[in-house]
Amino acid sequence: MTDAVLKKFAETVLQVGVNLQENQGLEIICSVEKSEVAEAIAKAAYEMKAKIVRVRWECENIDRLTYLNASTQTLSDIPKWLVDSKNYLVENGFCYIAIAAENPSAFNGVPSEKIAAAARARGKALKKFFENVMSNGIRWCVVSVPTKEWAKQVFPNSEDPENDLSKEIERSMRLHSTDPVKEWKKHVETLNARAEFLNSHDFTALRFTNGKGTDFTVGLALGHKWISAEEKAQDGLNFIANMPTEEVFTAPHRLKADGVVKSAMPLCYEGQIIDDFSLTFKNGKVVGFSAAKGYNTLKQIIETDKGTTRLGEVALIGKNSPIAKSEILFYNTLFDENASCHIALGKGYPTTISGGEQMTKRELSARGLNDSIEHVDFMIGTSDLKVDGIMKDGSVIPLFIKGDWVI
């Protein structure tokens, strides 16, 4: 990105994404390869009078070496200082920006069992932090910037893949506009209108069908609430958790999913690719699955805990969203999930239940919300997808025909 675009990027993420306030702390998670991005965000944050900006650096090459050489037991030992540092963010009112700039194939050849064990241990150790993220106890935002290896995978035949990927990110983030913040507000209004329509109808279930083999009905949690791009944190301030975003989403009922769902796009999970996979559900639970690629990784996800056999999110996105129309496979869930309707295995968001932020786990479970230490989105939307909303009286209202909204 040019300096001018990078400045827009930083300001948009801070103002629209986490909605940083004066005298508030900020933590940034960033790859060492993209230190200039963290620096630009930090500079813009201090110009907005941030109290302190802390950066936690990541390096996939070192992570790969660690996975290959450390024992599973060692990888599962999460240090107390990391737990304390994450809890510190919640306890001291920090914002949190994660820059997802990874190589989709970074961990090829690493035993999936090691990756799964480490992920499971992190989920358990950082439970308090992740629960606050899921219930909007902290304002957070995930964004992406191009890296060399990621760009090569997205644009393998390009003379300048990193530049090409950068342009796509700029477009999806609305940075081409003279006023990206204003453009984001317009976009949020459109998504809010769709969420309001869905909420006004209070559907009991959705049915998904397509020519790929998906024939799947998912019940919706009691008191479920459709949410669009902009959410309200527990401190009363709005924020946008994912940028870009094109979705409206809600809580499926953990006991009410039946049928077969086929993946529409590859899933990149912890640096490994899962492709051409399907899941079979009965009474909300995964009772069968297959994958042409990444079967063991998919198996490890499903077996993480009892919650990863059930669903925590269902999201609707039309095929004419800007990311979908690009027809680019990004190998990055942040982008690919915004090109396609998707569902997620694992933990549900308490915010997708009316009043859920104030409910106990038992109360949320009674409403049908799923619980887990994991939350993994995967894409199911195709150009011929049909989605029907099922009312309490059994009547049906078409929501999607041929992959796009009809409301």
Side-chain angles (χ1 to χ4, degrees):
M1 294 181 181
T2 65
D3 290 343
V5 172
L6 191 54
K7 187 174 187 295
K8 277 187 182 182
F9 177 87
E11 292 173 348
T12 302
V13 173
L14 289 168
Q15 293 180 41
V16 179
V18 295
N19 192 6
L20 181 71
Q21 301 295 295
E22 186 175 331
N23 201 37
Q24 184 173 28
L26 171 70
E27 178 168 279
I28 303 168
I29 305 297
C30 185
S31 165
V32 292
E33 182 183 338
K34 288 297 171 181
S35 60
E36 73 278 7
V37 178
E39 183 178 346
I41 294 175
K43 184 174 185 295
Y46 279 124
E47 289 172 353
M48 294 173 63
K49 302 188 185 308
K51 181 179 181 179
I52 186 72
V53 179
R54 295 199 172 100
V55 180
R56 190 180 301 281
W57 301 106
E58 294 186 334
C59 179
E60 287 181 328
N61 290 338
I62 292 177
D63 288 344
R64 178 182 174 82
L65 287 169
T66 301
Y67 276 127
L68 290 173
N69 292 281
S71 69
T72 301
Q73 182 178 354
T74 299
L75 291 168
S76 301
D77 181 16
I78 308 302
K80 187 176 182 297
W81 64 260
L82 178 60
V83 177
D84 290 343
S85 70
K86 289 298 187 184
N87 290 341
Y88 179 90
L89 302 181
V90 176
E91 293 162 0
N92 291 275
F94 271 58
C95 289
Y96 175 84
I97 295 173
I99 301 172
E102 65 270 0
N103 172 6
S105 302
F107 303 132
N108 279 358
V110 174
S112 60
E113 295 81 6
K114 281 191 170 184
I115 294 174
R120 188 159 47 245
R122 283 196 304 272
K124 290 179 180 178
L126 302 177
K127 190 174 181 62
K128 177 180 176 179
F129 173 74
F130 288 132
E131 285 183 347
N132 273 275
V133 168
M134 297 291 276
S135 62
N136 293 352
I138 184 173
R139 276 176 278 121
W140 57 283
C141 184
V142 180
V143 292
S144 282
V145 292
T147 62
K148 292 177 181 178
E149 295 303 322
W150 177 25
K152 286 178 184 177
Q153 191 152 350
V154 178
F155 297 104
N157 300 316
S158 170
E159 294 182 359
D160 191 351
E162 198 167 356
N163 181 66
D164 290 343
L165 182 54
S166 179
K167 294 300 181 186
E168 290 298 328
I169 292 175
E170 290 170 29
R171 184 177 61 81
S172 68
M173 288 282 289
R174 294 168 169 77
L175 301 180
H176 58 283
S177 167
T178 55
D179 189 347
V181 173
K182 184 177 179 180
E183 288 299 312
W184 269 97
K185 288 181 178 179
K186 288 181 182 178
H187 177 50
V188 167
E189 289 175 2
T190 299
L191 295 178
N192 282 345
R194 288 174 177 157
E196 287 170 9
F197 174 89
L198 294 167
N199 283 325
S200 69
H201 284 74
D202 192 24
F203 296 109
T204 61
L206 302 178
R207 185 184 180 197
F208 297 80
T209 54
N210 66 16
K212 194 177 179 70
T214 290
D215 190 346
F216 170 71
T217 299
V218 56
L220 301 180
L222 302 176
H224 70 274
K225 179 174 62 176
W226 288 91
I227 294 176
S228 66
E230 191 173 61
E231 301 182 58
K232 189 178 292 293
Q234 291 184 24
D235 61 9
L237 296 174
N238 292 334
F239 72 105
I240 294 180
N242 293 322
M243 297 181 76
T245 183
E246 304 289 338
E247 68 179 325
V248 292
F249 63 99
T250 195
H253 196 295
R254 62 189 179 86
L255 304 177
K256 299 180 180 180
D258 294 278
V260 177
V261 61
K262 300 287 186 80
S263 65
M265 305 169 70
L267 167 63
C268 181
Y269 174 80
E270 298 284 355
Q272 298 190 88
I273 301 295
I274 309 169
D275 197 8
D276 191 16
F277 61 95
S278 70
L279 301 174
T280 301
F281 289 85
K282 184 176 182 180
N283 296 327
K285 185 178 181 179
V286 176
V287 295
F289 60 93
S290 65
K293 183 177 182 179
Y295 176 87
N296 286 335
T297 302
L298 178 60
K299 183 174 185 289
Q300 293 292 334
I301 292 172
I302 293 170
E303 294 178 350
T304 299
D305 59 26
K306 291 181 179 179
T308 44
T309 64
R310 300 182 185 275
L311 296 175
E313 180 188 354
V314 57
L316 300 179
I317 297 163
K319 69 179 182 182
N320 286 315
S321 74
I323 296 175
K325 288 173 72 174
S326 74
E327 297 184 343
I328 295 171
L329 178 60
F330 286 92
Y331 296 97
N332 178 299
T333 301
L334 177 63
F335 285 83
D336 291 334
E337 74 169 11
N338 282 295
S340 170
C341 290
H342 58 269
I343 54 181
L345 292 169
K347 188 174 181 65
Y349 293 95
T351 53
T352 54
I353 301 289
S354 294
E357 301 93 321
Q358 287 76 47
M359 292 182 184
T360 64
K361 285 189 175 182
R362 180 173 292 184
E363 290 171 330
L364 289 169
S365 180
R367 297 294 185 95
L369 193 72
N370 194 34
D371 191 28
S372 173
I373 61 172
E374 186 61 278
H375 180 97
V376 181
D377 298 284
F378 62 95
M379 289 61 74
I380 64 172
T382 56
S383 61
D384 67 340
L385 182 70
K386 187 174 188 292
V387 183
D388 289 325
I390 302 172
M391 302 288 288
K392 290 179 181 178
D393 63 3
S395 59
V396 174
I397 296 179
L399 302 177
F400 274 55
I401 294 177
K402 294 183 178 179
D404 206 9
W405 293 94
V406 293
I407 60 172

